[in-house]
Amino acid sequence: GAVVSQHPSRVICKSGTSVKIECRSLDFQATTMFWYRQFPKQSLMLMATSNEGSKATYEQGVEKDKFLINHASLTLSTLTVTSAHPEDSSFYICSARDRRIQETQYFGPGTRLLVL
Amino acid sequence: SQQGEEDPQALSIQEGENATMNCSYKTSINNLQWYRQNSGRGLVHLILIRSNEREKHSGRLRVTLDTSKKSSSLLITASRAADTASYFCATDEVKTSYDKVIFGPGTSLSVIP
């Protein structure tokens, strides 16, 4: 099946630094990528929808200047958590929609961020 | 944002019993999907049911969809200890201006050996 990778899988950083998370579709082209955040024992919360070549659409309550999303190619989207704080510590998961099979999306394995 | 409710929030059953989880949503959808997540791990796609389908089977899984009630159910038959996980429904909302796939709050299933 289609594979979506995320890098890094785990990151620990100091408060105030910025962290970039990459999401790649390895064997298909993704017109749309989604970014989710998941706190412990909670569900996935959609943060933003990213379309290749255009600006991301952010969900209500998600600060676009805080969570910068770039979807520069059909196989890569990045999420940058700027000036990270301990409350940004979470599990970040991306998913990608195959442009050929629009109803299917494939999830990455997630990135665990810990901000000290 | 989240679509709606899943119930129960937590379910504990004996191995061999059936487990039923329900999901409700609020908007019109293209399809609904069920996922499984083991603690601290990524998501595993279980099954997709389209808005024009009413029931779907995959192995020990049975999913129903009632678009008039905006609800779906996932039945796991003859449960095993290895089925212990969190289960989420996710709805692919009818596209307005952009794609949107929203997850329900999930059901935590414990299968006791």
Side-chain angles (χ1 to χ4, degrees), chain B residues 73-87:
Chain B
S73 67
L74 169 68
L75 168 67
I76 303 174
T77 60
S79 65
R80 305 167 182 168
D83 294 329
T84 295
S86 291
Y87 292 82

Side-chain angles (χ1 to χ4, degrees), chain B residues 28-44:
Chain B
S28 296
I29 62 172
N30 293 313
N31 62 65
L32 184 145
Q33 303 177 58
W34 284 90
Y35 291 87
R36 163 198 166 126
Q37 185 182 38
N38 288 80
S39 181
R41 308 289 294 274
L43 292 168
V44 175

